[in-house]
Amino acid sequence: IIAENISDDAKIRKSIRDNTYNYGVIKSEIKKNANDENKVYDMYYDYQERVKFIKPHRVLALNRGESEKVLTVGIDISDDDYTVIDEVYGNTPIFENITTEIKEAINNQLDSITLSDECYVKPEICSNSEKLKSTLSQLDLYTNATIHYQIDGVDENLSKKDILKMISISDDGNVTLLEDKVKDFVQQMAYKYNTYGDARNFPTSSGDVISVAGGDYGWVINKKKEAEQIIADLSNGVPVEREPIYEQTAKKSGADDIGNTYIEIDYTKQHMWYYKDGQMILESDIVSGNINAANGSVDGIYKIVYKEKDAKLVGENYASDVKYFMPFAYNIGIHDASWRSSFGGEIYKSSGSHGCINAPFETAKALYEMVEVGTPVVAYYREPVVLTNNAAKQSNAFSYQAPPEPSVPAN
């Protein structure tokens, strides 16, 4: 079944062909009890050569030797190492020199002749040539510079195998790092470890586990700088252990990047909790954005961006003075609301805020004094909502939908 799937998939077949051509080594050895009295295939009794460089006449000889049950022939594919294969003498004939030596043998009335080395093209590059040594030195420099990435809970490495895929060797032996291949590796790593906006299974204070997505919280690898750093590391030629270069970090490394210190806001229940090291320190009713006036508060995972005392919040048609302001998304934050006498319930549906999270004065004061900048904020609705306001758009809110385009009257 596997073979049938491979034969039916053109991409897999191409990948196998490419790997065989680029990394394959054809090897042959004499069969046990083989009959080769005249030593026709003696040069192939213990022979190996890269598939990429083998000449057609050698392939024909190997095929004949195999069909005559003299040789065992196979291909080894290895893309995680490299080796120098000794040069093979006497493969390509020089017919002019052969003719000369045969004529001399005839003139000397010889019964047999052993052709000299001058009758064959000598290898252009020998295993001990300075050019090849230089190539190996460049390869060793790059492949020695493996990178172990420090990411909690995983074993991520730029291995020798990965490095070899980033290398090109020209016909004259020069070794070059392929920047596109480096970028491909970084892209794959970003795909694996970036958590920006990802959905996370979140255990709520109400006892259930929900999926929370959206927001601007999470790890983001700086792909440009990471690629540049990899090239620099490889050029230095020594193993490295380091973190990836991040454009944005989260409070905690690994898959569970929220950790156990966070603010939780349940918009449906109009309630907020603050946890420190896994212990609930504070909880309170709140009033969030007026959902029926297109001012619904943003949902997703965010973090406290900064803290400000005695702030003036100014928006379209309003200005509010607050004592404790803790923004976490665009211009949306948690703050005291001295003008309110009650919180919780369904106030937000008809008399909610312009998007911020209104909290009782004492709650806002206590939270302000305890919470640190960078603390995750997990905010969610338990029912489907549609957010069309600019704050939701700018903060990558999970429930954001672009408002419909105004209709153009027909002429």
Side-chain angles (χ1 to χ4, degrees), residues 16 68 267 376:
I16 292 173
E68 293 175 15
Y267 292 133

Side-chain angles (χ1 to χ4, degrees), residues 17 32 67 94 110 113 128 168 204 229 258-259 268 272 276 284-285 306 332 341 391:
R17 284 197 305 271
K32 189 177 181 180
S67 65
I94 303 175
L110 298 177
I113 181 175
N128 62 350
S168 172
T204 75
Q229 187 60 50
I258 295 174
T268 302
M272 176 177 70
K276 175 75 171 177
S284 173
D285 285 340
Y306 63 90
I332 304 299
S341 58

Side-chain angles (χ1 to χ4, degrees), residues 197-322:
D198 282 357
R200 299 162 175 87
N201 290 326
F202 178 74
T204 75
S205 297
S206 300
D208 56 344
V209 177
I210 64 172
S211 177
V212 182
D216 58 11
Y217 181 82
W219 296 93
V220 179
I221 291 174
N222 189 317
K223 291 186 284 190
K224 181 176 183 294
K225 290 186 177 179
E226 177 59 33
E228 291 171 351
Q229 187 60 50
I230 287 176
I231 292 172
D233 290 340
L234 296 183
S235 299
N236 288 333
V238 293
V240 174
E241 186 168 334
R242 62 174 177 83
E243 286 188 337
I245 297 178
Y246 292 107
E247 184 177 321
Q248 175 179 302
T249 62
K251 197 70 172 176
K252 188 173 178 290
S253 184
D256 179 19
D257 57 359
I258 295 174
N260 58 7
T261 296
Y262 56 87
I263 297 169
E264 175 186 355
I265 304 173
D266 185 333
Y267 292 133
T268 302
K269 296 187 176 182
Q270 288 291 282
H271 205 77
M272 176 177 70
W273 298 261
Y274 171 59
Y275 287 85
K276 175 75 171 177
D277 297 327
Q279 299 296 315
M280 188 181 71
I281 305 299
L282 175 151
E283 66 171 312
S284 173
D285 285 340
I286 51 122
V287 175
S288 62
N290 189 331
I291 197 75
N292 290 321
N295 288 324
S297 297
V298 298
D299 55 347
I301 304 175
Y302 303 92
K303 63 183 176 184
I304 298 296
V305 181
Y306 63 90
K307 301 193 297 183
E308 183 180 358
K309 266 189 176 181
D310 299 318
K312 180 179 282 292
L313 309 181
V314 179
E316 189 176 346
N317 302 321
Y318 76 91
S320 302
D321 293 315
V322 301

Side-chain angles (χ1 to χ4, degrees), residues 344-365:
E346 297 190 348
I347 299 171
Y348 76 108
K349 292 183 178 179
S350 58
S351 186
S353 72
H354 292 89
C356 281
I357 312 323
N358 292 178
F361 181 86
E362 292 301 326
T363 297
K365 180 177 184 295

Side-chain angles (χ1 to χ4, degrees), residues 13 26 30 33 40 192 198 276 315 330 335 338 341 386 389:
R13 294 199 308 271
I26 192 164
I30 188 168
N33 301 322
V40 174
K192 287 170 66 176
D198 282 357
K276 175 75 171 177
Y330 192 52
H335 62 75
S338 57
S341 58
V386 174
N389 55 66

Side-chain angles (χ1 to χ4, degrees), residues 180-212:
D180 286 348
K181 297 296 184 182
V182 176
K183 291 176 181 177
D184 287 345
F185 176 83
V186 175
Q187 179 61 47
Q188 292 172 14
M189 193 163 64
Y191 179 79
K192 287 170 66 176
Y193 298 113
N194 283 2
T195 59
Y196 174 95
D198 282 357
R200 299 162 175 87
N201 290 326
F202 178 74
T204 75
S205 297
S206 300
D208 56 344
V209 177
I210 64 172
S211 177
V212 182

